[in-house]
Amino acid sequence: MFAVYADSFASSADDPLTGLVVGERPDPVAPDGWTTVTVKAASLNHHDLWSLRGVGLKSEALPMILGCDAAGYDEDGNEVVVHAVVSDPGWTGDETLDPRRSLLSERHQGTFADKVVVPTRNVVPKPASMSFEEAACLPTAWLTAYRMLFTQGDLKAGDTVLVQGAGGGVATALIALARAGGLRVLATSRDEEKRARALELGAHEVFESGARLPVKVDAVMETVGRATWSHSIRALRPGGRIVISGTTSGPNLDDAELTRIFFLQLSVIGSTMGTRGELASLVTLLDSTGLRPVIDRVLPMTDARDGFAAMAQGDVFGKIVFTR
């Protein structure tokens, strides 16, 4: 079958695509308790770029089909969305807390292919109101944003939230979902065009990265890491919380602002992906409200290298989607 996969790891950080192959892989075989999904659309995440650098992916797992997210048809012809978190078969409860959990494309082959096999419990019905391209954006970026805001962040209508780094898939999802949830939304970006797009998406106010804000916020949604961390901490009201799900600018900090964190009794909360139940709730929310993911571009999967290159260069606003 056709597939987009990592055959080796990048030799340098400046060229992460050296190990990316667009070609053929054997058809997957679903073990007991798993099902085969025929992929119609799959979306690109920063996780896929990190995989090409060898982050979270072991060399003995290569070649590995990349991709966490997909929407398509199950074995009975039903339209479904794939949940990317694979927990241990004996695990019960929140699968994101399973110490043996993984994502598709880490230990199990990913979604950038004609077919993907997943645990049967990892498929969620796709509503007819949503296209395959839209649905394929949900399982990583939009689910991550949903959990950050409403589960880990415990935000309620009327709260004020700051979204750092408007433009990426998670950040655009955060802005749209926060606005839909009745929050007051502030957003930052280094890029003037991305700030304007954030306003169109639902942000009430936008600012240059690092700019002094007119108010202290209840919570900050952080996906950037080192480049915005100090600003995020300083933007919070006393007792506020920062929810972090990624570090696209790097994980190492020159100053963790520990004094400010303890003196102002701030909370730093980690958030990773989401549960199948949260994905189902997110799908229902979008189905009932008409809210839809922001898609930067749709490419045939045969042109996947172009999508990877655009993400590596930061030339995106919203999700990059591959179709079959």
Side-chain angles (χ1 to χ4, degrees), residues 169-316:
V170 175
T172 53
L174 284 164
I175 293 168
L177 287 170
R179 182 63 182 255
L183 307 180
R184 180 161 185 80
V185 186
L186 313 183
T188 68
S189 176
R190 294 173 298 176
D191 185 272
E192 183 177 357
E193 182 179 351
K194 289 181 179 179
R195 292 196 297 271
R197 294 285 301 277
L199 286 173
E200 295 173 4
L201 192 58
H204 291 89
E205 295 182 82
V206 294
F207 305 90
E208 293 185 13
S209 298
R212 184 180 181 87
L213 304 182
V215 297
K216 296 292 186 180
V217 302
D218 296 296
V220 178
M221 300 294 111
E222 176 65 75
T223 61
V224 180
R226 180 177 182 174
T228 55
W229 184 261
S230 181
H231 183 253
S232 292
I233 295 296
R234 291 172 181 272
L236 287 168
R237 63 163 174 79
R241 50 208 180 275
I242 180 170
V243 182
I244 180 168
S245 70
T247 55
T248 56
S249 67
N252 298 321
L253 300 174
D254 296 323
D255 181 3
E257 300 277 1
L258 295 180
T259 301
R260 186 175 291 268
I261 288 171
F262 77 72
F263 187 73
L264 295 178
Q265 302 182 79
L266 306 178
S267 298
V268 178
I269 305 166
S271 189
T272 297
M273 295 292 289
T275 66
R276 181 195 179 282
E278 287 167 337
L279 178 59
S281 296
L282 171 62
V283 170
T284 299
L285 172 65
L286 269 62
D287 184 36
S288 60
T289 62
L291 181 66
R292 292 293 182 266
V294 176
I295 296 176
D296 179 88
R297 69 195 75 181
V298 177
L299 300 170
M301 204 173 286
T302 49
D303 293 341
R305 182 173 290 273
D306 294 339
F308 274 84
M311 177 169 280
Q313 294 162 9
D315 182 26
V316 295

Side-chain angles (χ1 to χ4, degrees), residues 31-105:
D32 290 344
W34 290 54
T35 187
T36 301
V37 174
T38 300
V39 176
K40 296 298 294 179
S43 68
L44 183 65
N45 293 287
H46 276 98
H47 180 272
D48 303 305
L49 275 179
W50 288 114
S51 294
L52 287 171
R53 296 183 172 107
V55 178
L57 181 59
K58 297 180 179 180
S59 58
E60 55 264 32
L62 299 176
M64 175 61 73
I65 298 172
L66 300 174
C68 302
D69 299 348
Y73 294 102
D74 69 9
E75 293 174 351
D76 297 320
N78 300 306
E79 297 184 355
V80 297
V81 186
V82 173
H83 182 220
V85 180
V86 180
S87 57
D88 188 81
W91 180 263
T92 58
D94 186 335
E95 54 265 42
T96 68
L97 300 178
D98 178 3
R100 298 183 63 184
R101 76 182 187 276
S102 67
L103 292 180
L104 293 174
S105 78

Side-chain angles (χ1 to χ4, degrees), residues 108-129:
H108 307 287
Q109 299 294 320
T111 60
F112 294 166
D114 289 331
K115 299 176 182 178
V116 60
V117 296
V118 299
T120 302
R121 65 175 181 264
N122 276 50
V123 294
V124 172
K126 181 188 82 64
S129 66

